[in-house]
């Protein structure tokens, strides 16, 4: 009986993981909002490494964040199925000021003057950021601090 349950669980895991896959797609297949975001914050004229990003689409049953755009610099943006940004991971480019909620910008400026936000990740419950000084913080959607940590 235990072997049968184990075997069924293994088959189920294998079946589900076969549907979770990143497939390369053309940049032009991104939703228009995602294309505009990339052109605005990663202009090819600013850095040659921004000219030919790697674009993938997550193939999964209930994935809300199916698109990832990654540049040769390591900078990466994840978008929802409708083209709204979900995560911005800037290796060479800080997170654009325009996409950071005002409360969070104010908290960073007051608590860690001179630090830049290099990563931001938002979901339906919270917003997480990482600063250039390796401080990580989590906020509720209203911009109130919930957690703070140091990235080791």
């Amino acid at each position: 009986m235990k072997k049968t349950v184990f075997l069924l669980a293994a088959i189920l895991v294998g079946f589900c993981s076969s549907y979770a896959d990143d497939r390369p797609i053309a940049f032009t297949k991104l939703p228009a909002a995602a294309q505009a975001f990339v052109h605005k914050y990663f202009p090819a004229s600013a850095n040659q490494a921004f000219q030919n990003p790697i674009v993938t689409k997550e193939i999964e049953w209930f994935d809300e964040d199916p698109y990832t755009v990654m540049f040769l610099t390591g900078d990466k943006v994840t978008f929802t199925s409708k083209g709204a940004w979900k995560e911005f991971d800037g290796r060479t480019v800080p997170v654009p000021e325009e996409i950071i909620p005002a409360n969070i910008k104010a908290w960073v400026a007051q608590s860690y003057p001179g630090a830049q936000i290099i990563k931001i990740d938002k979901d339906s419950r919270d917003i997480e950021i990482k600063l250039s000084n390796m401080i990580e913080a989590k906020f509720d959607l209203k911009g109130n601090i919930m957690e703070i940590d140091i990235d080791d």
Side-chain angles (χ1 to χ4, degrees):
M1 178 68 175
K2 287 183 182 180
K3 288 182 183 180
T4 305
V5 171
F6 179 73
L7 180 62
L8 288 174
I11 291 171
L12 182 62
V13 167
F15 179 72
C16 289
S17 66
S18 68
Y19 283 95
D21 211 2
D22 286 342
R23 303 252 168 96
I25 63 167
F27 181 81
T28 55
K29 298 292 184 187
L30 282 172
Q35 289 183 44
F37 186 95
V38 170
H39 287 306
K40 182 174 183 177
Y41 297 114
F42 294 95
S45 60
N47 187 334
Q48 205 170 23
F50 296 159
Q51 287 182 357
N52 295 310
I54 297 167
V55 182
T56 59
K57 181 175 182 179
E58 180 81 23
I59 307 300
E60 199 170 311
W61 288 347
F62 300 108
D63 194 5
E64 291 293 320
D65 317 314
Y67 300 104
T68 299
V69 178
M70 186 169 201
F71 300 91
L72 295 175
T73 56
D75 298 294
K76 180 174 75 169
V77 185
T78 305
F79 297 96
T80 66
S81 59
K82 295 181 180 173
W85 72 270
K86 166 45 178 109
E87 180 180 348
F88 186 108
D89 188 358
R91 304 279 169 104
T92 64
V93 178
V95 174
E97 294 276 326
E98 300 90 24
I99 70 170
I100 304 167
N103 298 18
I104 295 175
K105 278 193 283 193
W107 179 85
V108 171
Q110 181 180 12
S111 303
Y112 299 98
Q116 291 184 314
I117 300 175
I118 59 172
K119 184 175 182 179
I120 189 166
D121 184 359
K122 69 176 179 175
D123 61 30
S124 61
R125 297 178 309 267
D126 56 44
I127 299 171
E128 295 181 36
I129 65 168
K130 182 175 184 178
L131 303 179
S132 54
N133 62 3
M134 298 303 137
I135 298 292
E136 294 179 344
K138 184 187 285 189
F139 300 83
D140 64 19
L141 295 177
K142 294 180 182 177
N144 300 310
I145 185 80
M146 295 170 37
E147 291 178 26
I148 190 166
D149 195 13
I150 298 174
D151 184 25
D152 298 350

